mmCIF file of all heavy atoms in Angstrom:
data_model
loop_
_atom_site.group_PDB
_atom_site.id
_atom_site.type_symbol
_atom_site.label_atom_id
_atom_site.label_comp_id
_atom_site.label_asym_id
_atom_site.label_seq_id
_atom_site.Cartn_x
_atom_site.Cartn_y
_atom_site.Cartn_z
ATOM 1 N N ARG A 191 12.866 14.679 15.949
ATOM 2 C CA ARG A 191 11.800 13.660 15.950
ATOM 3 C C ARG A 191 10.600 14.133 15.124
ATOM 4 O O ARG A 191 10.404 15.334 14.936
ATOM 5 C CB ARG A 191 11.377 13.357 17.388
ATOM 6 C CG ARG A 191 12.482 12.716 18.226
ATOM 7 C CD ARG A 191 11.969 12.264 19.579
ATOM 8 N NE ARG A 191 11.669 13.387 20.461
ATOM 9 C CZ ARG A 191 12.514 13.890 21.355
ATOM 10 N NH1 ARG A 191 13.727 13.365 21.485
ATOM 11 N NH2 ARG A 191 12.158 14.907 22.135
ATOM 12 N N VAL A 192 9.817 13.153 14.659
ATOM 13 C CA VAL A 192 8.633 13.444 13.854
ATOM 14 C C VAL A 192 7.384 13.105 14.667
ATOM 15 O O VAL A 192 7.205 11.950 15.072
ATOM 16 C CB VAL A 192 8.626 12.617 12.546
ATOM 17 C CG1 VAL A 192 7.340 12.870 11.752
ATOM 18 C CG2 VAL A 192 9.845 12.955 11.693
ATOM 19 N N PRO A 193 6.505 14.087 14.955
ATOM 20 C CA PRO A 193 5.266 13.801 15.687
ATOM 21 C C PRO A 193 4.402 12.802 14.912
ATOM 22 O O PRO A 193 4.195 12.962 13.708
ATOM 23 C CB PRO A 193 4.577 15.177 15.767
ATOM 24 C CG PRO A 193 5.670 16.171 15.518
ATOM 25 C CD PRO A 193 6.627 15.501 14.592
ATOM 26 N N SER A 194 3.910 11.780 15.604
ATOM 27 C CA SER A 194 3.157 10.724 14.947
ATOM 28 C C SER A 194 2.025 10.237 15.843
ATOM 29 O O SER A 194 1.969 10.566 17.030
ATOM 30 C CB SER A 194 4.082 9.538 14.609
ATOM 31 O OG SER A 194 5.191 9.963 13.853
ATOM 32 N N ILE A 195 1.129 9.446 15.248
ATOM 33 C CA ILE A 195 0.045 8.805 15.978
ATOM 34 C C ILE A 195 -0.043 7.361 15.506
ATOM 35 O O ILE A 195 0.120 7.079 14.319
ATOM 36 C CB ILE A 195 -1.307 9.500 15.723
ATOM 37 C CG1 ILE A 195 -1.270 10.954 16.177
ATOM 38 C CG2 ILE A 195 -2.439 8.769 16.430
ATOM 39 C CD1 ILE A 195 -2.544 11.726 15.827
ATOM 40 N N VAL A 196 -0.295 6.443 16.417
ATOM 41 C CA VAL A 196 -0.554 5.053 16.047
ATOM 42 C C VAL A 196 -1.910 4.678 16.632
ATOM 43 O O VAL A 196 -2.215 5.021 17.777
ATOM 44 C CB VAL A 196 0.563 4.098 16.544
ATOM 45 C CG1 VAL A 196 0.766 4.197 18.034
ATOM 46 C CG2 VAL A 196 0.283 2.662 16.131
ATOM 47 N N PHE A 197 -2.758 4.015 15.815
ATOM 48 C CA PHE A 197 -4.082 3.648 16.316
ATOM 49 C C PHE A 197 -4.559 2.351 15.683
ATOM 50 O O PHE A 197 -3.980 1.850 14.727
ATOM 51 C CB PHE A 197 -5.106 4.773 16.089
ATOM 52 C CG PHE A 197 -5.273 5.197 14.651
ATOM 53 C CD1 PHE A 197 -6.164 4.547 13.818
ATOM 54 C CD2 PHE A 197 -4.556 6.277 14.145
ATOM 55 C CE1 PHE A 197 -6.338 4.942 12.503
ATOM 56 C CE2 PHE A 197 -4.718 6.680 12.831
ATOM 57 C CZ PHE A 197 -5.614 6.010 12.006
ATOM 58 N N ASP A 198 -5.631 1.796 16.252
ATOM 59 C CA ASP A 198 -6.221 0.562 15.734
ATOM 60 C C ASP A 198 -7.066 0.869 14.514
ATOM 61 O O ASP A 198 -7.725 1.910 14.448
ATOM 62 C CB ASP A 198 -7.116 -0.104 16.786
ATOM 63 C CG ASP A 198 -6.319 -0.674 17.949
ATOM 64 O OD1 ASP A 198 -5.101 -0.884 17.779
ATOM 65 O OD2 ASP A 198 -6.913 -0.900 19.012
ATOM 66 N N ALA A 199 -7.092 -0.057 13.576
ATOM 67 C CA ALA A 199 -7.915 0.111 12.381
ATOM 68 C C ALA A 199 -9.302 -0.458 12.602
ATOM 69 O O ALA A 199 -9.481 -1.418 13.351
ATOM 70 C CB ALA A 199 -7.260 -0.603 11.201
ATOM 71 N N GLU A 200 -10.268 0.153 11.948
ATOM 72 C CA GLU A 200 -11.621 -0.390 11.926
ATOM 73 C C GLU A 200 -12.225 -0.057 10.581
ATOM 74 O O GLU A 200 -12.126 1.067 10.108
ATOM 75 C CB GLU A 200 -12.475 0.192 13.037
ATOM 76 C CG GLU A 200 -13.877 -0.417 13.070
ATOM 77 C CD GLU A 200 -14.621 -0.076 14.360
ATOM 78 O OE1 GLU A 200 -13.962 0.060 15.402
ATOM 79 O OE2 GLU A 200 -15.838 0.058 14.296
ATOM 80 N N ASP A 201 -12.845 -1.061 9.946
ATOM 81 C CA ASP A 201 -13.398 -0.894 8.604
ATOM 82 C C ASP A 201 -12.328 -0.404 7.637
ATOM 83 O O ASP A 201 -12.617 0.322 6.682
ATOM 84 C CB ASP A 201 -14.577 0.082 8.609
ATOM 85 C CG ASP A 201 -15.718 -0.438 9.473
ATOM 86 O OD1 ASP A 201 -15.879 -1.660 9.547
ATOM 87 O OD2 ASP A 201 -16.437 0.379 10.062
ATOM 88 N N GLY A 202 -11.082 -0.796 7.895
ATOM 89 C CA GLY A 202 -10.002 -0.465 6.985
ATOM 90 C C GLY A 202 -9.549 0.975 6.990
ATOM 91 O O GLY A 202 -8.643 1.343 6.285
ATOM 92 N N GLN A 203 -10.156 1.846 7.783
ATOM 93 C CA GLN A 203 -9.822 3.253 7.672
ATOM 94 C C GLN A 203 -9.720 3.966 9.019
ATOM 95 O O GLN A 203 -8.683 4.484 9.381
ATOM 96 C CB GLN A 203 -10.885 3.956 6.808
ATOM 97 C CG GLN A 203 -10.623 5.426 6.572
ATOM 98 C CD GLN A 203 -9.414 5.670 5.699
ATOM 99 O OE1 GLN A 203 -9.092 4.857 4.849
ATOM 100 N NE2 GLN A 203 -8.722 6.770 5.921
#
Side-chain angles (χ1 to χ4, degrees):
R191 295 188 289 266
V192 177
S194 306
I195 299 175
V196 56
F197 58 87
D198 291 341
E200 183 167 328
D201 298 328
Q203 182 68 30

